[in-house]
Amino acid sequence: LRDCQQDDIKYLSGWKQWKRTSSKSLKKVLNEVKELSSYLELWRNDIHSIEGKFGTGIQSYFSFLRFLVLLNFIIFILMFSFVTLPSIISEYGIFNSSFAKIPPKNVEPHCTVYKPSANKGLVYFYTYLKDLLSGTGFLEVTSLFYGYYTVDAAWLSILRYDLPLAYLLATFAYLALSFFWIIKRSVEGFKQNLVHGEDQFQSYCNKVFAGWDFCITDPNAARLKHRSLQYELQTDLEEERLKQKIADRTTKEKLRIYSLRIFINIIVIAILSGCFYSIYRATVFSQENSNVSIRRDIRTDSANLLVQYLPSMVITLANFIAPQIFSFLIRFEDYSPAFEIRLTLMRCVFVRLANIGVLLFSLWSQISHCATDKCKACGYNYELYPCWESEVGQEMYKLMIFDFIIILAVTLFVDFPRKLLVTHCSCKPVQWCGLQEFGISDNVLEIIYGQTICWIGTFFSPLLPAIATIKYFIIFYIKKISLMHTCKPAARPIRASSSNFFFFLVLLIGLILAFIPLGISIAHIPSSKACGPFRSFNTSWAVVPDKILGLPTGLQQVLHGIASEAFAVPFFMVICLIMFYFIALAGAHKRVVEQLREQLVMESRDKLFLIRKITEAQRH
């Protein structure tokens, strides 16, 4: 074939010869670059090792964790480049830069008073530790929180940088980046799930006849690949066994299992209700009593520290206990391993994400509660929350820190002691407990919960993605060490393709739910008049129409036309037509695939018929 191609090249013109040679060289270079970049992939060898020892289900969790590390790092780069760095450069006069602070207009003077609780005089180590855990004190006046960004405009030489507009656009940018990246990864997982679900026999054939990677030459890599294929086949057989078991159930067994599931779901609803009520009461109690303490002396009141942390502790406790109960109850419902993960995740999602919603609702009710005319003039409770955005940022910061402390404490004080007891103690109760299995649903929900906190808190704390990146980076090694030394392979293997798609689906739910409190904060709640880049605007969103009014008249008309119903209705109709076209195209492709499969089946039958005839002819 190569000789024929070389002969054909001789009869081509010089331009076509150069074009074909350049195309081949470019493909070769791209393949080499792709191969080299795979070696630079974060935790590549670690994840392959985990896949070989524990299967693709657990490997998908660590790949998911790697995705969140990269996502948070990019969000941090985005916020630091467009929000934090311009503020620091202009404030310190680097590169001959300068800044302007425009005082709010038509605002009562008492609304602009903000005195951060910075430490003064002799400070004890305990105070620094408390500030580090709660985000108050010296941390409150740093670039970590919203209140630091009071610059309205920065000049670098003759260039003007509008920080309020950049702050808002950077927020929209990191939300859009997260949304489209998650959609892209979800579609990839959905394709794998769809291909796997089409034909079970085809999946077996692919693994048995085409599952081996003949590029593998290293013995260790070969062993890992063997184990990976073994776990995949084991998962297929387990799912087939469960399907057969479900098909063979009698009416009495079906009645028993459905009654048991109804009873367990009633217990789950009761647990969810108890968690929500506990968090609501803890939040209300914390807000009422900590506000009273603030009027006294918060820095010397140790009891108030516990009251201040009470919502975070109750939320963390509920997030820790509820998934354990759900994981225990799901064993009695007799579902497949993949569906167990999905159902447990959905139950735990209601606990964790609703907890954040209850906390934010309680905070907003306190922020917007005004009983005097002075308070109503500001639009929010300026006495208790002079810079309410920083207060919300501190709550998100505390939730993230407490979540990391709990993960670390469980690994050090629960998992490792359990391993030592099982290894060195022969008592029957200890041996009955055995080594812990790596709970994928619990661990995935932990990081999805933390990521939802990060998405909500980044607007109020622009450097929170940097903390999330460091947190997930450390968690990877904590979970890896715990998995390798304290856990055992799952007794019921889990498929990676369906689980991986569902992980991203739940993450997408967390992102969509994060849109709600952010949208309310940006468009509905009045912005603080004493701090932040939106001091001169009624709400954070008000900066957009203000900047549009400064544009040329023609461009203003174009933007207003795009935002009008006359443009929205035809645009929506065109989008619907395009969507229906692709749905019809997908249906046509599916019918073609089915016809091709039928042809393959017919050809295989024809071959069997011919072989049978030839065999009979040879016998005669």
Side-chain angles (χ1 to χ4, degrees), residues 205-222:
C205 293
N206 288 338
K207 290 182 178 66
V208 174
F209 296 108
W212 186 253
D213 185 359
F214 288 93
C215 295
I216 294 176
T217 57
D218 182 59
N220 292 327

Side-chain angles (χ1 to χ4, degrees), residues 484-526:
M484 294 292 186
H485 298 285
T486 66
C487 296
K488 62 181 179 181
R492 303 175 70 181
I494 297 160
R495 184 180 309 284
S497 57
S498 57
S499 299
N500 201 27
F501 164 68
F502 195 71
F503 294 164
F504 283 100
L505 181 62
V506 177
L507 184 64
L508 185 63
I509 293 173
L511 177 61
I512 293 173
L513 292 178
F515 288 161
I516 299 173
L518 282 176
I520 294 173
S521 302
I522 292 172
H524 179 68
I525 301 179

